[in-house]
Amino acid sequence: MGVAPPPPALRRWFRHAIALAVFVLMLYLSDRILRFLSGCRPEAQSCTPEGPLPFKAWHESGPLAAPGWKEPPCLGPQGMLGRIRRSFGASLKPEGDVELSQYLAGWRELVRFLTPLGSIFAFATSEAFIKVTALEARVLGPDAAHYTSLATMAAWERRVGLLEQPGTAPRDSAQASGSRTLLLLHRALRWSQLCLHRVATGTLGGPDAGVQCGDAYRTALAPHHPWLIRQAARLAFLALPSRDRLLELACPAAGEADARAALAGAAGTLEQVYNRTEDLLAGQGLLQLA
Ligand SMILES: *[C@@H]1O[C@H](CO)[C@@H](O)[C@H](O)[C@H]1NC(C)=O
């Protein structure tokens, strides 16, 4: 932890923390109540009252590139995972920079994809959505010429003195520098990437998605969150849908093997973008900005 924040900042922090915690708790409880009303035991890991999922076991399914294999719809032009991959992929500029408009377009697709997956995603993405909108306002605003890429943004914000002092928080998030907003999105991207990768590659009989995404949260985000949020998040991960359900939501109308491969591919693209962004932020000395 850094220096203790002054009292007004502490009060503001506390108000935010409580509001968020109550929000997460409500999402968690509403999820439980819905499960109960739909005839599922609240403690059931996987709840599919309409019958077993049409998935075969992971290793029973044939190889991905078998003759006659068709790309699942989730990777096609209208498919969510395909759209995430294309937008984020396009943000990786050949000269090693990250193009902000494509990065944000990728985030919009990611938010659309994650929101229906469960209350913890809805919580995380509502936070991310605010940041995406704030950064977009800069990318499209009067200083748009300086917000084409991560490198141009960081150089310009440093030159004109927009960067926060390390350890200080801006008065409200809409006034945060673009670099700081990007850093917060960057950490959330890491969590999404780790969580989706683990959902895609987890073994049968191994820890379920809630446990794996909770672990990813502890790695990527918890060190940056206050205690109250961490407790609320811990509860929300208990209500995460099962792996089968997540795979079905991620890649509808595909077999389990195809859904896993498609999700792993999307997580791989997120990892490329994460790695690139991490290197650039580290090179600019911006990883300590928040
Ligand atoms: C990202 O970076 C890590 C650590 O440097 C590396 O192990 C991994 O292969 C990289 N992933 C991609 C997709 O480039």
Side-chain angles (χ1 to χ4, degrees), residues 268 271-272 275:
E271 187 179 354
Q272 277 182 313
N275 280 5

Side-chain angles (χ1 to χ4, degrees), residues 187-211:
R187 288 181 189 146
L189 190 75
R190 177 62 161 176
W191 172 64
S192 313
Q193 175 242 316
L194 289 173
C195 169
L196 296 182
H197 174 79
R198 288 172 190 180
V199 169
T201 58
T203 51
L204 290 173
D208 206 2
V211 174

Side-chain angles (χ1 to χ4, degrees), residues 248-262:
E248 195 195 41
L249 287 167
C251 202
E256 183 184 357
D258 285 354
R260 281 186 185 253

Side-chain angles (χ1 to χ4, degrees), residues 167-242:
T168 62
R171 223 162 291 130
D172 80 78
S173 55
Q175 284 166 9
S177 67
S179 304
R180 186 177 199 274
T181 306
L182 185 89
L183 173 63
L184 300 177
L185 281 173
H186 172 64
R187 288 181 189 146
L189 190 75
R190 177 62 161 176
W191 172 64
S192 313
Q193 175 242 316
L194 289 173
C195 169
L196 296 182
H197 174 79
R198 288 172 190 180
V199 169
T201 58
T203 51
L204 290 173
D208 206 2
V211 174
Q212 294 190 308
C213 290
D215 282 346
Y217 172 80
R218 275 185 288 283
T219 308
L221 283 175
H224 308 286
H225 281 173
W227 181 85
L228 212 52
I229 302 287
R230 293 201 302 271
Q231 303 314 307
R234 205 166 54 82
L235 280 183
F237 281 114
L238 299 176
L240 202 73
S242 68

